């Protein structure tokens, strides 16, 4: 196995823990998030270059609050405590932590920074940061040097003089802390001595080796959805095990216009990875007939997918297929880990659960250590075309969540045409890549209009386009009026059965991105 440097992040429950991990990866340092109950010997076994202690909602003195792993500080590994992490270190080493009766509220704070520290090298004497105004270190432990205070005097940064341990009260990982990345870089490169050589290329080398070790001469089944994740997973697997990989693309009749052909074309001609394509649209639409309730649609689609996938995979290979590839990403892994407690919401609706158990297969998850932007970089490195890498996400249940009401072929076709006009106009205007996700939704509503001399009574399309980094929150895209006008008029003129177009100006929250 190729060795790469690793930084471990102990998650004390902060809403920002994942962001710390993303920032560390941005510094090209591989990192993993672990629960605070991990033992020091397990930590040591991973040979970390550094350990970062996240923030968290608790108070260090509360009975039952998560603590430092026993013996952590004897490992002699550089440690950075952030907020709750700092408070744990301070209390452990003889300082005093004080609570704020108002609880933990975040806000801007101005720091006054002492000159000449390695942690704050390159920062100005004053910096604006994002800080919790709850518990704080009221008395620095013996043997420490205070490196920064907030303007109200609260200790914001400390260094232990005789160990490689630092703590900060503010959050360097959030964008509101203007120079936060610099602080993390200082810690990783200057204090912990990281090289920062975690690149897509190195990931691919290591992962190819890992896949080979896991599957040996076994055969792997990989479902292709048309999205980036499954494509990157398939390319990685193909690079690792060649024709031990068997890819299956199920057309459920709920894809965008020309999507099926486009995906098959990309795999066959461009990536040279063989894929078996199955047109199951009739089965899906027959099973969905008469269903209008969103949750029922999702359930039916999940069930039929499993049935089709299972029966079709039997014809793929003479060899037994012992492994099932899945494009699980790191955020799903972190979100499903029990240490996050109630703050972790598992997006179970995003996955077709139950497949590996039902088919009695072992999972191969080549992307389980990557964030979405890293998947894109790995994809680009593996030769995925720009066009494919930069695609907007498309939900597993496809147009079922965008065709409200009955899923009949005529309505799905209408939606496909309208969506295609919207997306191709976005591309033509150079706007496609500047928005995070865009699509058309067909509403189960008719309204009156006039076309020439005739009164019309037809269906309504709503256009949805959002800007978002992580799809957890999103704001509606401020697309130019002239652009929206052109799209609306093309849709009404070119798509029979649609006589009205609206633009969705709801942000998430309170709206969701999809309408369902
Ligand atoms: P919402 O609608 O929850 O969507 O704001 C957030 C992101 O998730 C996608 N999404 C799904 N993806 N299966 C998927 O694979 C689903 O059932 C599903 N529902 C929503 C959505 O397109 C957006 O990117």
């Amino acid at each position: 196995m190729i060795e790469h440097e690793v930084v471990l992040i102990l998650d004390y429950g902060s809403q920002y823990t994942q962001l710390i991990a993303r920032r560390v990866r941005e510094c090209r340092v591989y990192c993993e998030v672990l629960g605070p109950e991990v033992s020091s010997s397990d930590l040591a076994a991973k040979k970390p270059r550094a350990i970062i202690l996240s923030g968290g909602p608790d108070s260090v003195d509360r009975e039952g609050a998560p603590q430092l792993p026993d013996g952590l500080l004897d490992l002699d590994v550089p440690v950075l405590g952030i907020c709750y992490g700092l408070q744990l270190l301070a209390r452990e080493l003889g300082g005093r932590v004080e609570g704020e009766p108002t609880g933990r509220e975040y806000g801007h704070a101005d720091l006054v920074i002492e000159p000449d520290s390695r942690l704050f090298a390159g920062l100005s004497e004053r910096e604006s940061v994002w800080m919790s105004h709850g518990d704080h270190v009221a008395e620095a432990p013996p043997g420490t040097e205070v490196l920064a205070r907030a303007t109200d005097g609260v200790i914001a940064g400390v260094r232990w003089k005789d160990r490689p341990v630092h703590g900060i009260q503010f959050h360097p990982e959030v964008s509101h802390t203007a120079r936060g990345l610099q602080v993390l870089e200082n810690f990783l490169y200057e204090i912990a001595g990281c090289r920062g050589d975690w690149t897509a290329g190195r990931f691919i080398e290591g992962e190819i080796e890992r896949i080979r070790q896991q599957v040996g001469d076994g055969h792997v089944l990989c479902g292709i959805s048309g999205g980036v994740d499954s494509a990157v997973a398939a390319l990685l697997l193909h690079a690792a095990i060649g024709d031990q990989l068997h890819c299956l693309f199920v057309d459920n009749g709920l894809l965008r216009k020309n999507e099926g052909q486009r995906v098959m074309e990309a795999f066959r001609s461009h990536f040279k990875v063989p894929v078996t394509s199955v047109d199951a649209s009739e089965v899906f639409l027959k099973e969905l007939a008469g269903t209008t309730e969103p949750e029922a649609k999702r359930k039916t689609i999940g069930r039929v997918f499993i049935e089709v996938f299972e029966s079709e995979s039997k014809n793929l290979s003479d060899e037994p297929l012992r492994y099932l590839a899945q494009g699980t990403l790191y955020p799903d892994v972190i979100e499903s880990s029990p240490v996050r407690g109630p703050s972790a919401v598992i997006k179970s609706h995003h996955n077709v659960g139950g497949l590996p158990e039902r088919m009695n297969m072992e999972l191969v998850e080549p992307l389980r250590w990557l964030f979405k932007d890293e998947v894109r970089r790995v994809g680009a490195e593996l030769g995925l075309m720009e066009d494919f890498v930069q695609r907007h996400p498309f939900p597993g249940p496809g147009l079922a969540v965008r065709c409200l009401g009955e899923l009949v072929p005529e309505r799905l076709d209408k939606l496909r045409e309208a969506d295609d006009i919207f997306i191709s106009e976005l591309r033509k205007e150079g706007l496609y890549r500047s928005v995070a996700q865009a699509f058309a939704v067909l509403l189960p509503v008719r309204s009156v209009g006039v076309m020439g001399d005739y009164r019309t009574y037809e269906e309504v399309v709503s256009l949805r386009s959002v800007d978002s980094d992580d799809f957890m929150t999103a704001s509606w895209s401020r697309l130019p009026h002239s652009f929206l006008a052109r799209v609306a008029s093309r849709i009404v003129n070119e798509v029979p059965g649609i006589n009205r177009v609206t633009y969705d100006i709801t942000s998430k929250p309170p709206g969701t991105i999809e309408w369902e």
Side-chain angles (χ1 to χ4, degrees):
M1 192 79 189
I2 292 172
E3 289 281 326
H4 48 71
E5 55 191 15
V6 54
V7 165
L8 300 176
I9 299 167
L10 297 198
D11 180 11
Y12 286 94
S14 163
Q15 55 179 311
Y16 299 130
T17 304
Q18 244 196 67
L19 208 46
I20 303 175
R22 284 185 54 180
R23 295 282 179 254
V24 172
R25 299 270 184 104
E26 270 172 43
C27 299
R28 297 183 310 283
V29 175
Y30 177 74
C31 60
E32 288 180 19
V33 178
L34 302 171
E37 73 288 352
V38 64
S39 71
S40 291
S41 52
D42 285 347
L43 288 173
K46 288 185 177 272
K47 303 205 188 88
R49 279 286 165 128
I51 297 174
I52 297 178
L53 313 175
S54 84
D58 227 317
S59 283
V60 290
D61 288 323
R62 194 190 64 80
E63 171 111 13
Q67 300 297 324
L68 293 178
D70 281 339
L72 173 83
L73 294 169
D74 301 329
L75 296 178
D76 204 29
V77 171
V79 174
L80 175 67
I82 297 175
C83 196
Y84 185 82
L86 159 67
Q87 293 150 23
L88 282 173
L89 290 167
R91 213 226 6 215
E92 172 88 6
L93 294 166
R96 192 165 57 80
V97 175
E98 227 169 50
E100 217 33 67
T102 50
R104 240 166 239 267
E105 248 187 59
Y106 291 102
H108 278 286
D110 282 319
L111 294 195
V112 182
I113 296 176
E114 297 296 323
D116 300 330
S117 73
R118 285 200 292 169
L119 189 62
F120 296 141
L123 272 66
S124 311
E125 196 191 322
R126 290 237 170 183
E127 291 286 349
S128 169
V129 297
W130 190 249
M131 199 155 102
S132 142
H133 300 297
D135 294 3
H136 59 270
V137 177
E139 208 175 284
T144 57
E145 182 187 357
V146 173
L147 303 177
R149 287 180 187 272
T151 40
D152 62 3
V154 166
I155 294 175
V158 286
R159 163 180 96 85
W160 272 259
K161 289 183 195 153
D162 57 351
R163 24 172 125 234
V165 174
H166 290 73
I168 49 186
Q169 172 75 12
F170 62 93
H171 288 271
E173 67 276 15
V174 303
S175 55
H176 304 296
T177 297
R179 307 295 306 281
L181 197 58
Q182 174 82 62
V183 175
L184 285 176
E185 283 177 350
N186 288 344
F187 174 70
L188 295 169
Y189 302 148
E190 306 304 326
I191 294 168
C194 292
R195 296 184 302 266
D197 54 6
W198 164 253
T199 58
R202 277 187 66 107
F203 167 79
I204 293 167
E205 279 172 48
E207 192 53 28
I208 285 179
E209 210 170 302
R210 199 201 60 74
I211 292 169
R212 286 183 182 150
Q213 272 175 16
Q214 185 188 353
V215 309
D217 57 5
H219 285 244
V220 180
L221 170 60
C222 179
I224 300 297
S225 71
V228 182
D229 301 346
S230 62
V232 174
L235 288 189
L236 254 176
L237 282 156
H238 194 251
I241 57 170
D243 55 16
Q244 286 160 255
L245 175 71
H246 307 269
C247 294
L248 181 59
F249 175 67
V250 175
D251 182 343
N252 57 9
L254 300 163
L255 302 172
R256 285 183 150 158
K257 187 174 173 185
N258 299 331
E259 186 74 350
Q261 292 104 291
R262 232 179 264 154
V263 172
M264 294 309 289
E265 179 65 23
F267 273 85
R268 286 192 179 138
S269 321
H270 191 85
F271 313 145
K272 312 269 188 263
V273 174
V275 179
T276 303
S277 162
V278 177
D279 182 0
S281 45
E282 262 182 39
V283 189
F284 276 90
L285 293 187
K286 190 165 148 263
E287 295 282 333
L288 285 163
T291 309
T292 54
E293 204 268 313
E295 209 40 45
K297 284 182 184 172
R298 279 178 185 281
K299 284 218 173 80
T300 304
I301 292 166
R303 173 178 58 78
V304 178
F305 179 81
I306 288 177
E307 287 164 9
V308 172
F309 199 80
E310 190 175 12
S311 79
E312 293 296 333
S313 64
K314 297 208 171 91
N315 311 322
L316 283 185
S317 162
D318 297 334
E319 303 288 337
L321 298 174
R322 291 196 354 245
Y323 299 91
L324 180 69
Q326 198 158 288
T328 319
L329 303 192
Y330 199 41
D332 303 324
V333 177
I334 305 180
E335 283 180 12
S336 352
S337 85
V339 300
R340 298 290 306 282
S343 70
V345 183
I346 303 170
K347 288 183 282 179
S348 58
H349 68 288
H350 287 187
N351 301 314
V352 185
L355 200 55
E357 297 79 14
R358 179 178 163 131
M359 294 175 72
N360 196 18
M361 293 168 97
E362 185 183 315
L363 275 183
V364 186
E365 297 176 306
L367 311 179
R368 72 178 275 122
W369 302 110
L370 301 185
F371 288 102
K372 188 82 185 181
D373 49 329
E374 294 175 313
V375 173
R376 294 210 164 100
R377 280 208 291 281
V378 168
E381 183 83 18
L382 286 166
L384 268 194
M385 312 88 102
E386 175 80 4
D387 192 30
F388 212 98
V389 174
Q390 297 302 340
R391 260 154 185 241
H392 294 170
F394 185 68
L399 298 183
V401 296
R402 298 177 180 173
C403 185
L404 311 194
E406 272 214 78
L407 297 169
V408 287
E410 310 76 64
R411 295 192 74 232
L412 287 164
D413 284 342
K414 263 195 252 186
L415 174 56
R416 278 191 190 100
E417 293 303 323
D419 184 73
D420 187 57
I421 290 173
F422 185 28
I423 299 298
S424 49
E425 286 289 339
L426 279 169
R427 287 194 191 276
K428 210 153 68 188
E429 277 303 298
L431 289 167
Y432 181 82
R433 286 191 55 183
S434 62
V435 303
Q437 195 172 6
F439 50 89
V441 182
L442 185 66
L443 307 188
V445 176
R446 278 171 189 262
S447 77
V448 171
V450 276
M451 264 308 233
D453 292 334
Y454 294 98
R455 176 184 181 278
T456 57
Y457 185 56
E458 307 286 8
E459 289 189 302
V460 183
V461 149
S462 177
L463 305 177
R464 178 79 161 141
S465 176
V466 294
D467 302 333
S468 175
D469 284 332
D470 54 9
F471 301 92
M472 311 282 271
T473 62
S475 55
W476 56 277
S477 316
R478 270 53 172 181
L479 293 173
H481 290 178
S482 55
F483 170 81
L484 290 169
R486 190 166 61 248
V487 175
S489 106
R490 275 198 60 193
I491 291 176
V492 172
N493 286 323
E494 296 175 31
V495 188
I498 295 175
N499 68 350
R500 193 177 292 271
V501 176
T502 68
Y503 186 53
D504 181 356
I505 54 165
T506 321
S507 287
K508 172 183 179 177
T512 50
I513 295 174
E514 303 290 347
W515 280 48
E516 306 227 6

